[in-house]
Amino acid sequence: MKGIVAFFIPVFGPLMLLVDKYCERRGKMGTRDIGIESQRYTEMKYKRIEVDNQKNQDITVPLEEAIIVNDKTVRRSMMLDVLKQNTDDCVPLLKRARMSNDTELTHYATTAMMEIQSRYELSLHKWAKAYEENSRDVTILKGYSKELMKYIESGLISGNILKIYRQQLEDVMEKLVAAQPEVLNYRLQQCYNLLELERYEKLEPGLNVMKKKWPEEEKVYRLCGEYYRRTAQGDKFRKMLEKIEKKNIYLSSDGKKWFAFWKNVEEDNEEISV
């Protein structure tokens, strides 16, 4: 399976993107994808949009302007200027640009997305080969998992293709956690991916381990909360909120908003629903 995935990585991505574009232009994108990217364990209502540096901000703003400006010549010129920069963080805006009535602008945006996807898949092809040759090397496990997560979160893939990459990430994260079991972030990444795959039979034991090893960690509680919410375990969710309050678990400002939101849901509706 790993060999097959590695072989087809550079081929399927651009092809699927072209199919996706064709369907969108024909208005056939109304079907719902597998609910894999619906919500992260950090509740989407309170997910902060962070700008890492000024460079990303300088890319995003001109791209938004390029989409909405009325003058075609100016719009195309702005788009070309943007495409000369690193556009990896602008996939949602490029998707909007693809739906423009300006066919040339659509072409630029589609080309940019194909280039981004090609870079991801060429990189993943190299990591997959290294992983196949030495699947126990921690450096390879870290690099491969990081690249897989970047691609998964890029917005370039969906549906069954996204699921295939998540399944590959599941295999990599299992080995990485086994190699470095004391690193909380690896366990969180592993469990979040299992949550998105709905592999609950493997997820719950992982959550139990984290609750025992990191009983004061906010991220663990929030991931547990998302698991309880998705699996309609309202009683466990409610008990978890009571435990956070009773033990006075430290919460970040974002965590306090999350806690207040779900506390209000419980008080208003007397039941936490999916």
Side-chain angles (χ1 to χ4, degrees):
M1 175 62 182
K2 290 183 284 187
I4 294 174
V5 172
F7 178 79
F8 283 106
I9 279 174
V11 178
F12 274 131
L15 180 61
M16 292 302 297
L17 184 62
L18 287 173
V19 173
D20 177 55
K21 176 182 180 297
Y22 175 81
C23 292
E24 282 187 302
R25 301 293 290 180
R26 292 292 185 272
K28 296 178 181 179
M29 294 303 291
T31 57
R32 184 180 179 186
D33 289 330
I34 296 173
I36 287 176
E37 287 297 321
S38 59
Q39 288 192 11
R40 303 180 64 87
Y41 69 85
T42 48
E43 181 64 32
M44 287 185 70
K45 182 177 179 67
Y46 298 112
K47 181 180 178 183
R48 293 177 297 177
I49 300 175
E50 297 180 353
V51 178
D52 292 336
N53 52 49
Q54 189 64 32
K55 181 179 178 181
N56 288 343
Q57 192 174 32
D58 289 343
I59 294 172
T60 304
V61 174
L63 184 52
E64 289 176 329
E65 293 175 355
I67 294 172
I68 65 175
V69 71
N70 289 327
D71 190 291
K72 287 187 177 182
T73 302
V74 174
R75 183 167 59 200
R76 292 169 185 172
S77 177
M78 293 174 69
M79 175 64 81
L80 286 172
D81 288 340
V82 170
L83 297 185
K84 293 175 184 177
Q85 307 177 60
N86 180 8
T87 54
D88 290 35
D89 297 325
C90 299
V91 171
L93 288 171
L94 287 170
K95 284 184 175 181
R96 284 174 52 195
R98 274 194 324 172
M99 300 304 296
S100 170
N101 292 327
D102 185 335
T103 56
E104 194 167 348
L105 183 65
T106 299
H107 171 73
Y108 293 154
T110 301
T111 300
M113 291 182 66
M114 290 180 69
E115 288 178 354
I116 295 169
Q117 191 155 16
S118 179
R119 288 200 301 269
Y120 272 122
E121 292 180 344
L122 285 172
S123 176
L124 282 170
H125 182 68
K126 293 176 183 177
W127 281 113
K129 188 174 185 300
Y131 176 70
E132 191 170 2
E133 292 173 353
N134 190 352
S135 63
R136 300 294 175 180
D137 186 289
V138 173
T139 301
I140 292 174
L141 293 172
K142 289 179 181 179
Y144 193 20
S145 64
K146 183 178 180 180
E147 197 69 10
L148 280 166
M149 284 187 287
K150 282 171 60 181
Y151 194 30
I152 286 167
E153 295 171 0
S154 69
L156 289 166
I157 52 177
S158 61
N160 287 332
I161 300 300
L162 176 60
K163 189 172 183 179
I164 288 171
Y165 281 100
R166 282 204 175 278
Q167 288 169 339
Q168 184 64 16
L169 179 60
E170 177 187 358
D171 186 49
V172 176
M173 292 308 304
E174 185 173 350
K175 291 181 174 63
L176 185 54
V177 167
Q180 298 194 338
E182 300 304 316
V183 181
L184 173 60
N185 280 341
Y186 296 156
R187 289 186 179 273
L188 287 168
Q189 290 162 4
Q190 178 192 35
C191 286
Y192 166 62
N193 190 56
L194 290 170
L195 178 66
E196 296 301 303
L197 285 170
E198 299 182 353
R199 297 289 300 275
Y200 301 139
E201 76 285 354
K202 293 183 68 175
L203 171 62
E204 191 159 5
L207 292 176
N208 291 335
V209 170
M210 287 194 293
K211 284 189 288 187
K212 290 179 180 179
K213 292 176 72 71
W214 295 278
E216 305 291 320
E217 177 56 55
E218 171 189 325
K219 293 178 181 178
V220 175
Y221 284 103
R222 295 180 68 170
L223 179 54
C224 288
E226 184 61 13
Y227 166 59
Y228 296 148
R229 187 192 70 80
R230 295 194 192 188
T231 54
Q233 298 185 65
D235 288 341
K236 287 187 177 182
F237 201 134
R238 192 174 299 105
K239 290 178 181 178
M240 183 193 70
L241 294 176
E242 292 172 356
K243 182 178 179 180
I244 291 173
E245 192 169 33
K246 183 178 180 180
K247 290 197 169 185
N248 197 26
I249 301 296
Y250 172 79
L251 298 175
S252 63
S253 59
D254 198 46
K256 290 176 183 176
K257 292 178 183 179
W258 168 83
F259 180 84
F261 173 79
W262 286 112
K263 193 69 174 173
N264 288 336
V265 168
E266 178 192 353
E267 292 173 354
D268 292 345
N269 301 323
E270 297 185 352
E271 183 173 351
I272 297 170
S273 59
V274 178

